Amino acid sequence: MNHQTKIMEVPVAIAERVQALIDAHEAKEKFNAERKEVVNNFLSMDGLSCEMAVYSLPQGELLDTLRFVYEISGTNSKFIKNILTQSRENPKKALSDAQRSSVKSLLFNLINDPSVVSAMKEM
């Protein structure tokens, strides 16, 4: 049996859009793999070490990890949504001390949430 491949011409705008979607998917997969490794490291620590590690995260990594854990936890926290939206809209703006403290506490609590632990095992 002989198969012939046909090449189809696609308008440039469509090809660019498809490539943008592929690039976005690859970036999302890379982000998830990086955050999964970070969260697995946290889960392998005892409680105090995990808490200290979470509290020592720089803001960018803190927010990225919070975004990842928030997505896999299924939590519907308006506070977390607002923080993540603010950081997406203005990534250079530093969190206030109160926001940073709350985010660290929420992240630590979410990491230790049974839904996150089970979701990480399934990944």
Side-chain angles (χ1 to χ4, degrees), residues 52-77:
M52 289 174 62
V54 166
Y55 275 71
S56 67
L57 289 173
Q59 180 172 316
E61 197 170 339
L62 175 68
L63 291 171
D64 286 347
T65 307
L66 178 66
R67 179 175 289 115
F68 176 75
V69 173
Y70 175 71
E71 288 174 3
I72 65 171
S73 72
T75 305
N76 191 15
S77 167

Side-chain angles (χ1 to χ4, degrees), residues 31 35 38 42 52-68 80 82-104 107:
F31 171 83
R35 293 301 105 200
V38 169
F42 288 149
M52 289 174 62
V54 166
Y55 275 71
S56 67
L57 289 173
Q59 180 172 316
E61 197 170 339
L62 175 68
L63 291 171
D64 286 347
T65 307
L66 178 66
R67 179 175 289 115
F68 176 75
I80 294 175
N82 289 339
I83 292 291
L84 294 175
T85 301
Q86 286 175 357
S87 71
R88 198 175 308 120
E89 291 171 353
N90 192 357
K92 294 190 189 310
K93 184 180 179 204
L95 295 174
S96 70
D97 289 341
Q99 287 174 322
R100 187 169 176 79
S101 179
S102 295
V103 166
K104 288 177 179 181
L107 178 57

